[in-house]
Amino acid sequence: MIKPVFSRLTGAVRTAALGAVLGAGAVLTGCAGMPGMDSAGKTEMKAGGHEYMLTVTRPNKLHVVDTETDKLLHSCDVPGTFGNGSIAISPDGRTAYVLSNMMEDVYGIDITNCEITFAAKQSYANIQVKTFISLAVSADGKELYTVQNPVRKHIDRFETMPPRLAVYNTNAGLNAKPDRTFPVDRRITKIAAMENGEVILGGGDIKAINPDNGETRLITPLQNWERAPDKWVPPDAFAMHSMGEHVGEFIMPYFTIRWNGEPGDESKADFLWGHVRIDLKNGDLESIETVPFEFIVFNWVTDPNNKDVMFGSFNQLSKHNVKTGETLGVHGMDHTYYNINMTQDGQKIYVGGAGNTISIHEPDGLKRIGYLQMPGDMSTSDLRLAVLK
């Protein structure tokens, strides 16, 4: 399986004064001046279900794009050094939780005015905590979930500690501490909150955890699936970016091989993209392998008007029917793009990451209809849809 080579994480460290203010429990604003802002540094934003696309760029800014005009409205300062650009959105669309400071801290930022309303510094004493991508907000917006990977730093060695799910109250302010923690498997990255209260854990296998008591159940095996090894190769899942908020789903793409002859005989084998797709409202599960491995994609995004149709991006933007395996369209891109998302009505596709541009396309023929030059490199950042209630 081809894996991405990501650039070294860099960024400017925030000043000690900023850290002192955050520690004191103040509410900060940090909107960069953009057209349409008033004298207080705020951009007028529409509520009532209006959509905004969010991403993070180096050195460490959260950007808000209006999907109606495809204009960058404003940019919010994120404390700390750039992490990996992970974002989780509150159900009301108002707060973006951003993983920062080399994937150690989480900040909740009001996207309408750039106020920092939540801050969690996960490392403490000689314990360094890293969160790899995994952020999620409960369906009622009252809790934030992270998967913590702690290491105890001794004078002469690092001691790897068991990973855990940390549960925060989103109203905990600027010195938030976990309300409770529960042990989880290693190598968990993509997570999502279901409407029944469970949190999906995307790791070697797909599991769900009850964040009230820590009870865990298997949703579907991946690394440990029980298909005949003389017929199938265990899947290699790329659990990097999280998306699916436009249709209320969790989706995990993976690669596998189906042996149609002897195992290892590639001349007769099918090289296939598959995915696990979970409906966050009712828990319905789909696991399917049909799309030929002719395109490198980091993520799938579902067409809201036809769930059998998905789009993927990397060096090409491609469109596929995942039930039949048919490729419906291909559009060559000007450079590599890691991430993809789209609006709730399915009329626009946004492709970003791996650079400083967002390419906007219509879904029928994949023609480019817009192009945004961002004020910094998105690298591995999420591209998330916020619907402002």
Side-chain angles (χ1 to χ4, degrees), residues 35-348:
M37 279 194 171
D38 62 22
S39 58
K42 300 177 182 178
T43 306
E44 182 180 356
M45 296 180 67
K46 302 176 184 177
H50 198 76
E51 298 174 337
Y52 299 90
M53 197 65 66
L54 310 182
T55 194
V56 179
T57 67
R58 300 176 189 273
N60 213 6
K61 289 186 179 294
L62 172 70
H63 303 287
V64 180
V65 175
D66 189 329
T67 61
E68 182 178 28
T69 63
D70 290 330
K71 302 294 185 183
L72 175 59
L73 294 185
H74 55 249
S75 303
C76 306
D77 290 329
V78 182
T81 306
F82 181 87
N84 72 312
S86 291
I87 306 170
I89 310 295
S90 63
D92 63 5
R94 190 178 189 93
T95 304
Y97 295 90
V98 181
L99 184 61
S100 184
N101 194 27
M102 301 292 286
M103 301 180 291
E104 294 184 23
D105 303 340
V106 182
Y107 294 96
I109 301 173
D110 187 325
I111 68 170
T112 69
N113 57 24
C114 294
E115 290 183 355
I116 297 176
T117 59
F118 176 92
K121 294 182 177 295
Q122 299 190 102
S123 296
Y124 57 94
N126 68 334
I127 307 297
Q128 185 177 58
V129 175
K130 299 287 187 181
T131 289
F132 301 106
I133 304 164
S134 48
L135 292 179
V137 183
S138 62
D140 60 11
K142 295 181 178 180
E143 293 184 336
L144 171 75
Y145 309 111
T146 72
V147 174
Q148 298 182 335
N149 298 274
V151 172
R152 189 185 306 275
K153 300 170 74 173
H154 296 278
I155 294 176
D156 59 343
R157 69 191 188 281
F158 295 117
E159 176 191 351
T160 302
M161 302 168 66
R164 61 209 182 203
L165 178 80
V167 182
Y168 291 88
N169 291 323
T170 54
N171 64 357
L174 301 184
N175 191 26
K177 305 298 180 186
D179 184 63
R180 55 198 181 275
T181 63
F182 302 102
V184 295
D185 294 340
R186 294 201 179 278
R187 298 186 296 114
I188 291 171
T189 50
K190 293 174 64 161
I191 68 174
M194 301 178 67
E195 288 202 5
N196 69 359
E198 291 181 307
V199 178
I200 297 172
L201 304 175
D205 297 321
I206 308 297
K207 297 183 178 182
I209 186 170
N210 183 327
D212 292 329
N213 56 27
E215 292 181 357
T216 303
R217 67 180 177 91
L218 177 67
I219 295 178
T220 186
L222 282 179
Q223 182 183 13
N224 295 302
W225 68 1
E226 298 178 349
R227 300 188 189 186
D230 62 335
K231 296 296 183 183
W232 291 93
V233 170
D236 186 355
F238 187 66
M240 181 61 186
H241 299 289
S242 297
M243 61 199 52
E245 60 272 7
H246 69 307
V247 289
E249 69 181 19
F250 169 95
I251 189 164
M252 174 86 81
Y254 59 83
F255 163 73
T256 186
I257 300 173
R258 179 171 58 204
W259 304 120
N260 297 316
E262 292 295 320
D265 184 355
E266 297 184 0
S267 66
K268 298 179 180 178
D270 292 323
F271 295 77
L272 299 169
W273 277 112
H275 66 264
V276 171
R277 181 162 54 177
I278 302 169
D279 189 312
L280 298 179
K281 292 183 179 180
N282 56 33
D284 286 350
L285 171 71
E286 176 185 74
S287 181
I288 190 172
E289 307 88 19
T290 56
V291 178
F293 189 68
E294 298 175 4
F295 307 90
I296 303 298
V297 301
F298 275 16
N299 298 280
W300 294 124
V301 64
T302 300
D303 187 335
N305 300 309
N306 183 352
K307 69 174 299 183
D308 292 343
V309 174
M310 288 188 182
F311 303 88
S313 68
F314 190 66
N315 294 331
Q316 298 167 310
L317 173 62
S318 56
K319 179 180 180 180
H320 309 269
N321 186 310
V322 296
K323 285 295 175 64
T324 65
E326 181 185 3
T327 297
L328 305 175
V330 179
H331 179 90
M333 304 297 284
D334 56 328
H335 64 79
T336 298
Y337 289 84
Y338 291 154
N339 218 332
I340 184 171
N341 212 334
M342 65 192 309
T343 53
Q344 288 180 306
D345 63 6
Q347 297 306 302
K348 289 182 182 179

